[in-house]
Amino acid sequence: SYVLTQPPSVSVAPGQTARITCGGNNFGSKSVHWYQQKPGQAPVLVVYDDNDRPSGIPERFSGSNSGNTATLTISRVEAGDEADYYCQVWDSSSDLPWVFGGGTKLTVL
Amino acid sequence: QVQLKESGPGLVKPSETLSLTCTVSGGSSISSAYYWGWIRQPPGKGLECIGSIYFSGSTFYNPSLKSRVTISIDMSKNQFSLKLSSVTAADTAVYYCARSEAAGSPYFGSWGHGMLVTVAS
């Protein structure tokens, strides 16, 4: 089955830029989606199709996908951005095509 | 704006069947061309997709759970359901229902609030 690899944790100071990576094979052929999950809450889609934002998501959230790595970039990080972030792809060759990464805990110092 | 809400018992005994229902509201019909999915999250762990059902009734199941899982759809009630049989403590988790786009590269754009289900005697 397809595997997505994320770092367990990323730390950043307020006002700085956070970059959360997601690795997988042949990423260039897949679109990557990103979810934010705050404690006790359901996940929220923050980026879809590599670099599109749903309505209501700040422009500070952006994504990129190149080679075997996708990156979620959060500019001008705020305390409220502290959360777990999950990447997800659709892998049509898998029995269950929605594949999630293991998640990254973003800590705002 | 579509809304999804999970309902069902919050406590299930070991070896019994976990049954949850997701009610869809807010103007979105379950007969629309979307996938309707179940995702769970054990305490302190990541997201695990359990399975999904297309409005036509076709299903996808997580291979590790396939022998125990059934997802069904009830268009008359605008609901879809999850049944997970022979549960153990390892099935204790927050269970989310969600709606996924069907075109392109599907993603879960709308989620329910989630429901904690504990497996214990």
Side-chain angles (χ1 to χ4, degrees):
Chain A
S1 61
Y2 197 79
V3 176
L4 296 176
T5 302
Q6 297 183 239
S9 62
V10 168
S11 298
V12 64
Q16 299 303 303
T17 297
R19 295 179 179 85
I20 299 172
T21 59
C22 176
N25 282 336
N26 297 319
F27 241 1
S29 64
K30 302 185 187 303
S31 293
V32 182
H33 318 299
W34 291 92
Y35 303 84
Q36 175 194 67
Q37 186 181 32
K38 296 182 180 180
Q41 298 184 19
V44 172
L45 183 73
V46 292
V47 168
Y48 66 97
D49 290 348
D50 294 336
N51 192 23
D52 286 330
R53 284 184 311 278
S55 61
I57 301 301
E59 291 183 5
R60 301 185 298 105
F61 289 82
S62 63
S64 63
N65 183 3
S66 178
N68 288 329
T69 303
T71 303
L72 173 69
T73 300
I74 309 171
S75 304
R76 302 180 300 282
V77 166
E78 304 172 356
D81 298 330
E82 187 164 288
D84 294 323
Y85 291 84
Y86 295 89
C87 59
Q88 178 249 312
V89 299
W90 169 270
D91 179 53
S92 58
S93 66
S94 294
D95 289 338
L96 184 60
W98 294 266
V99 179
F100 286 99
T104 298
K105 169 67 176 177
L106 175 66
T107 298
V108 181
L109 301 170
Chain B
Q1 178 100 5
V2 63
Q3 296 174 352
L4 301 98
K5 185 174 183 179
E6 306 86 354
S7 61
L11 179 64
V12 182
K13 290 182 168 58
S15 79
E16 295 189 345
T17 296
L18 179 159
S19 296
L20 295 176
T21 296
C22 183
T23 300
V24 179
S25 61
S28 182
S29 170
I30 205 158
S31 61
S32 304
Y34 291 99
Y35 291 104
W36 304 94
W38 289 97
I39 302 98
R40 71 180 183 179
Q41 185 172 37
K45 296 189 177 181
L47 302 172
E48 178 184 33
C49 192
I50 300 169
S52 72
I53 188 165
Y54 195 47
F55 78 103
S56 62
S58 62
T59 53
F60 293 98
Y61 293 135
N62 188 317
S64 68
L65 301 170
K66 187 172 184 177
S67 63
R68 300 194 290 129
V69 173
T70 302
I71 297 175
S72 59
I73 202 164
D74 186 337
M75 292 191 183
S76 67
K77 296 182 179 179
N78 226 35
Q79 295 175 335
F80 62 105
S81 299
L82 168 70
K83 291 188 186 298
L84 181 65
S85 64
S86 305
V87 297
T88 69
D91 295 309
T92 293
V94 175
Y95 286 76
Y96 296 98
C97 61
R99 186 184 78 174
S100 170
E101 306 301 312
S105 179
Y107 52 84
F108 292 106
S110 301
W111 296 65
H113 290 297
M115 179 171 181
L116 175 63
V117 179
T118 302
V119 178
S121 54

Short mmCIF file of all heavy atoms in Angstrom, two decimals, chain B residues 71-107:
data_model
loop_
_atom_site.label_atom_id
_atom_site.label_comp_id
_atom_site.label_asym_id
_atom_site.label_seq_id
_atom_site.Cartn_x
_atom_site.Cartn_y
_atom_site.Cartn_z
N ILE B 71 -20.34 -0.60 5.36
CA ILE B 71 -20.83 0.77 5.24
C ILE B 71 -22.01 0.74 4.29
O ILE B 71 -21.94 0.14 3.21
CB ILE B 71 -19.74 1.72 4.72
CG1 ILE B 71 -18.58 1.80 5.73
CG2 ILE B 71 -20.31 3.12 4.48
CD1 ILE B 71 -17.39 2.63 5.27
N SER B 72 -23.09 1.38 4.70
CA SER B 72 -24.30 1.37 3.89
C SER B 72 -24.88 2.77 3.83
O SER B 72 -24.50 3.66 4.61
CB SER B 72 -25.32 0.40 4.48
OG SER B 72 -25.64 0.75 5.80
N ILE B 73 -25.82 2.95 2.92
CA ILE B 73 -26.40 4.26 2.68
C ILE B 73 -27.92 4.15 2.71
O ILE B 73 -28.48 3.15 2.26
CB ILE B 73 -25.87 4.82 1.34
CG1 ILE B 73 -25.97 6.33 1.25
CG2 ILE B 73 -26.51 4.13 0.16
CD1 ILE B 73 -25.13 6.92 0.13
N ASP B 74 -28.57 5.15 3.30
CA ASP B 74 -30.03 5.20 3.37
C ASP B 74 -30.47 6.54 2.78
O ASP B 74 -30.49 7.55 3.47
CB ASP B 74 -30.51 5.04 4.81
CG ASP B 74 -32.03 4.93 4.91
OD1 ASP B 74 -32.73 5.38 3.99
OD2 ASP B 74 -32.51 4.39 5.92
N MET B 75 -30.83 6.50 1.52
CA MET B 75 -31.17 7.76 0.84
C MET B 75 -32.45 8.37 1.38
O MET B 75 -32.61 9.59 1.39
CB MET B 75 -31.25 7.53 -0.66
CG MET B 75 -29.91 7.21 -1.28
SD MET B 75 -29.96 7.24 -3.06
CE MET B 75 -28.28 6.76 -3.45
N SER B 76 -33.35 7.54 1.85
CA SER B 76 -34.62 8.07 2.34
C SER B 76 -34.44 8.92 3.59
O SER B 76 -35.24 9.83 3.86
CB SER B 76 -35.59 6.93 2.62
OG SER B 76 -35.15 6.15 3.71
N LYS B 77 -33.37 8.64 4.34
CA LYS B 77 -33.11 9.39 5.57
C LYS B 77 -31.93 10.34 5.43
O LYS B 77 -31.57 11.04 6.38
CB LYS B 77 -32.84 8.43 6.73
CG LYS B 77 -34.03 7.56 7.10
CD LYS B 77 -33.69 6.67 8.28
CE LYS B 77 -34.88 5.80 8.68
NZ LYS B 77 -34.55 4.90 9.82
N ASN B 78 -31.31 10.37 4.25
CA ASN B 78 -30.10 11.17 4.02
C ASN B 78 -29.02 10.81 5.04
O ASN B 78 -28.39 11.69 5.65
CB ASN B 78 -30.40 12.67 4.07
CG ASN B 78 -29.74 13.42 2.92
OD1 ASN B 78 -29.62 12.91 1.81
ND2 ASN B 78 -29.29 14.64 3.20
N GLN B 79 -28.81 9.52 5.22
CA GLN B 79 -27.85 9.02 6.20
C GLN B 79 -26.97 7.93 5.58
O GLN B 79 -27.35 7.28 4.61
CB GLN B 79 -28.58 8.41 7.40
CG GLN B 79 -29.39 9.36 8.22
CD GLN B 79 -30.16 8.65 9.32
OE1 GLN B 79 -30.47 7.47 9.23
NE2 GLN B 79 -30.48 9.39 10.39
N PHE B 80 -25.81 7.76 6.16
CA PHE B 80 -25.02 6.57 5.87
C PHE B 80 -24.50 6.02 7.19
O PHE B 80 -24.41 6.74 8.19
CB PHE B 80 -23.91 6.83 4.85
CG PHE B 80 -22.85 7.83 5.26
CD1 PHE B 80 -21.58 7.40 5.64
CD2 PHE B 80 -23.10 9.19 5.22
CE1 PHE B 80 -20.59 8.30 5.98
CE2 PHE B 80 -22.12 10.11 5.56
CZ PHE B 80 -20.86 9.66 5.94
N SER B 81 -24.17 4.74 7.20
CA SER B 81 -23.91 4.06 8.45
C SER B 81 -22.64 3.22 8.39
O SER B 81 -22.20 2.81 7.32
CB SER B 81 -25.09 3.16 8.82
OG SER B 81 -26.26 3.92 8.99
N LEU B 82 -22.13 2.95 9.57
CA LEU B 82 -20.94 2.12 9.75
C LEU B 82 -21.28 1.02 10.73
O LEU B 82 -21.86 1.27 11.79
CB LEU B 82 -19.78 2.96 10.31
CG LEU B 82 -18.56 2.18 10.82
CD1 LEU B 82 -17.80 1.56 9.66
CD2 LEU B 82 -17.65 3.10 11.65
N LYS B 83 -20.92 -0.19 10.37
CA LYS B 83 -20.98 -1.32 11.30
C LYS B 83 -19.61 -1.97 11.34
O LYS B 83 -19.04 -2.29 10.30
CB LYS B 83 -22.05 -2.33 10.90
CG LYS B 83 -23.47 -1.82 11.05
CD LYS B 83 -24.48 -2.92 10.82
CE LYS B 83 -25.91 -2.37 10.84
NZ LYS B 83 -26.25 -1.77 12.14
N LEU B 84 -19.10 -2.15 12.56
CA LEU B 84 -17.80 -2.78 12.78
C LEU B 84 -18.02 -3.90 13.79
O LEU B 84 -18.37 -3.63 14.95
CB LEU B 84 -16.79 -1.77 13.30
CG LEU B 84 -15.36 -2.28 13.56
CD1 LEU B 84 -14.70 -2.71 12.26
CD2 LEU B 84 -14.53 -1.21 14.26
N SER B 85 -17.82 -5.12 13.35
CA SER B 85 -18.14 -6.27 14.19
C SER B 85 -16.94 -6.73 15.01
O SER B 85 -15.79 -6.35 14.75
CB SER B 85 -18.64 -7.43 13.33
OG SER B 85 -17.61 -7.86 12.46
N SER B 86 -17.22 -7.55 16.01
CA SER B 86 -16.19 -8.20 16.83
C SER B 86 -15.16 -7.21 17.35
O SER B 86 -13.95 -7.39 17.18
CB SER B 86 -15.49 -9.30 16.02
OG SER B 86 -16.42 -10.24 15.51
N VAL B 87 -15.65 -6.15 17.97
CA VAL B 87 -14.74 -5.08 18.39
C VAL B 87 -13.90 -5.51 19.59
O VAL B 87 -14.29 -6.36 20.39
CB VAL B 87 -15.50 -3.79 18.70
CG1 VAL B 87 -16.20 -3.25 17.46
CG2 VAL B 87 -16.49 -3.99 19.84
N THR B 88 -12.73 -4.88 19.68
CA THR B 88 -11.84 -5.04 20.82
C THR B 88 -11.45 -3.65 21.31
O THR B 88 -11.82 -2.64 20.72
CB THR B 88 -10.58 -5.82 20.43
OG1 THR B 88 -9.77 -4.99 19.56
CG2 THR B 88 -10.91 -7.13 19.74
N ALA B 89 -10.65 -3.62 22.36
CA ALA B 89 -10.21 -2.34 22.91
C ALA B 89 -9.45 -1.52 21.86
O ALA B 89 -9.45 -0.29 21.92
CB ALA B 89 -9.33 -2.58 24.13
N ALA B 90 -8.83 -2.19 20.91
CA ALA B 90 -8.09 -1.49 19.87
C ALA B 90 -8.98 -0.67 18.95
O ALA B 90 -8.50 0.17 18.18
CB ALA B 90 -7.28 -2.49 19.05
N ASP B 91 -10.29 -0.91 19.02
CA ASP B 91 -11.23 -0.15 18.19
C ASP B 91 -11.73 1.10 18.91
O ASP B 91 -12.51 1.87 18.35
CB ASP B 91 -12.41 -1.03 17.80
CG ASP B 91 -12.00 -2.18 16.89
OD1 ASP B 91 -11.32 -1.92 15.88
OD2 ASP B 91 -12.36 -3.35 17.20
N THR B 92 -11.28 1.32 20.13
CA THR B 92 -11.61 2.55 20.84
C THR B 92 -11.00 3.74 20.11
O THR B 92 -9.79 3.77 19.86
CB THR B 92 -11.09 2.51 22.29
OG1 THR B 92 -11.81 1.51 23.01
CG2 THR B 92 -11.27 3.87 22.97
N ALA B 93 -11.83 4.70 19.75
CA ALA B 93 -11.36 5.82 18.93
C ALA B 93 -12.44 6.88 18.82
O ALA B 93 -13.61 6.64 19.15
CB ALA B 93 -10.98 5.34 17.52
N VAL B 94 -12.06 8.04 18.32
CA VAL B 94 -13.03 9.03 17.85
C VAL B 94 -13.34 8.67 16.40
O VAL B 94 -12.42 8.51 15.59
CB VAL B 94 -12.49 10.46 17.94
CG1 VAL B 94 -13.48 11.44 17.33
CG2 VAL B 94 -12.21 10.83 19.40
N TYR B 95 -14.61 8.52 16.10
CA TYR B 95 -15.05 8.17 14.76
C TYR B 95 -15.65 9.40 14.10
O TYR B 95 -16.54 10.05 14.65
CB TYR B 95 -16.07 7.03 14.82
CG TYR B 95 -15.45 5.70 15.14
CD1 TYR B 95 -15.03 5.39 16.44
CD2 TYR B 95 -15.24 4.75 14.14
CE1 TYR B 95 -14.42 4.18 16.73
CE2 TYR B 95 -14.64 3.53 14.42
CZ TYR B 95 -14.23 3.25 15.71
OH TYR B 95 -13.62 2.04 16.00
N TYR B 96 -15.12 9.72 12.91
CA TYR B 96 -15.61 10.85 12.13
C TYR B 96 -16.30 10.35 10.87
O TYR B 96 -15.83 9.41 10.23
CB TYR B 96 -14.46 11.73 11.68
CG TYR B 96 -13.67 12.41 12.77
CD1 TYR B 96 -12.47 11.87 13.23
CD2 TYR B 96 -14.11 13.60 13.34
CE1 TYR B 96 -11.74 12.50 14.22
CE2 TYR B 96 -13.38 14.23 14.33
CZ TYR B 96 -12.19 13.67 14.77
OH TYR B 96 -11.47 14.31 15.76
N CYS B 97 -17.38 11.01 10.50
CA CYS B 97 -17.91 10.82 9.16
C CYS B 97 -17.54 12.06 8.35
O CYS B 97 -17.37 13.16 8.90
CB CYS B 97 -19.42 10.56 9.15
SG CYS B 97 -20.48 11.87 9.82
N ALA B 98 -17.40 11.88 7.05
CA ALA B 98 -16.93 12.97 6.21
C ALA B 98 -17.41 12.79 4.78
O ALA B 98 -17.75 11.68 4.36
CB ALA B 98 -15.39 13.05 6.25
N ARG B 99 -17.42 13.89 4.05
CA ARG B 99 -17.79 13.87 2.64
C ARG B 99 -16.56 14.15 1.79
O ARG B 99 -15.79 15.08 2.06
CB ARG B 99 -18.85 14.93 2.35
CG ARG B 99 -19.41 14.87 0.92
CD ARG B 99 -20.39 16.00 0.66
NE ARG B 99 -19.70 17.26 0.40
CZ ARG B 99 -20.32 18.37 0.02
NH1 ARG B 99 -21.64 18.38 -0.12
NH2 ARG B 99 -19.63 19.48 -0.19
N SER B 100 -16.39 13.33 0.77
CA SER B 100 -15.25 13.49 -0.13
C SER B 100 -15.71 13.86 -1.52
O SER B 100 -16.68 13.30 -2.04
CB SER B 100 -14.44 12.20 -0.19
OG SER B 100 -13.47 12.26 -1.21
N GLU B 101 -14.99 14.80 -2.13
CA GLU B 101 -15.18 15.05 -3.54
C GLU B 101 -14.97 13.74 -4.29
O GLU B 101 -14.23 12.87 -3.85
CB GLU B 101 -14.18 16.10 -4.03
CG GLU B 101 -14.20 17.40 -3.24
CD GLU B 101 -15.56 18.06 -3.27
OE1 GLU B 101 -16.11 18.19 -4.37
OE2 GLU B 101 -16.05 18.46 -2.20
N ALA B 102 -15.61 13.62 -5.44
CA ALA B 102 -15.48 12.39 -6.22
C ALA B 102 -14.63 12.58 -7.46
O ALA B 102 -14.05 11.61 -7.97
CB ALA B 102 -16.86 11.89 -6.63
N ALA B 103 -14.52 13.79 -7.95
CA ALA B 103 -13.77 14.03 -9.18
C ALA B 103 -12.31 14.32 -8.88
O ALA B 103 -11.94 14.69 -7.76
CB ALA B 103 -14.39 15.21 -9.93
N GLY B 104 -11.47 14.15 -9.89
CA GLY B 104 -10.07 14.49 -9.75
C GLY B 104 -9.37 13.64 -8.71
O GLY B 104 -9.40 12.41 -8.76
N SER B 105 -8.76 14.30 -7.75
CA SER B 105 -8.07 13.64 -6.65
C SER B 105 -8.88 13.86 -5.38
O SER B 105 -8.74 14.89 -4.72
CB SER B 105 -6.66 14.23 -6.49
OG SER B 105 -5.98 13.62 -5.41
N PRO B 106 -9.72 12.92 -5.02
CA PRO B 106 -10.67 13.15 -3.93
C PRO B 106 -10.04 13.45 -2.57
O PRO B 106 -9.01 12.89 -2.21
CB PRO B 106 -11.46 11.84 -3.89
CG PRO B 106 -11.43 11.35 -5.30
CD PRO B 106 -10.02 11.68 -5.75
N TYR B 107 -10.69 14.33 -1.85
CA TYR B 107 -10.27 14.70 -0.50
C TYR B 107 -11.54 14.91 0.32
O TYR B 107 -12.62 15.13 -0.22
CB TYR B 107 -9.43 15.99 -0.52
CG TYR B 107 -10.10 17.13 -1.26
CD1 TYR B 107 -11.03 17.95 -0.63
CD2 TYR B 107 -9.81 17.36 -2.60
CE1 TYR B 107 -11.66 18.98 -1.32
CE2 TYR B 107 -10.42 18.39 -3.30
CZ TYR B 107 -11.35 19.19 -2.65
OH TYR B 107 -11.97 20.19 -3.34
#
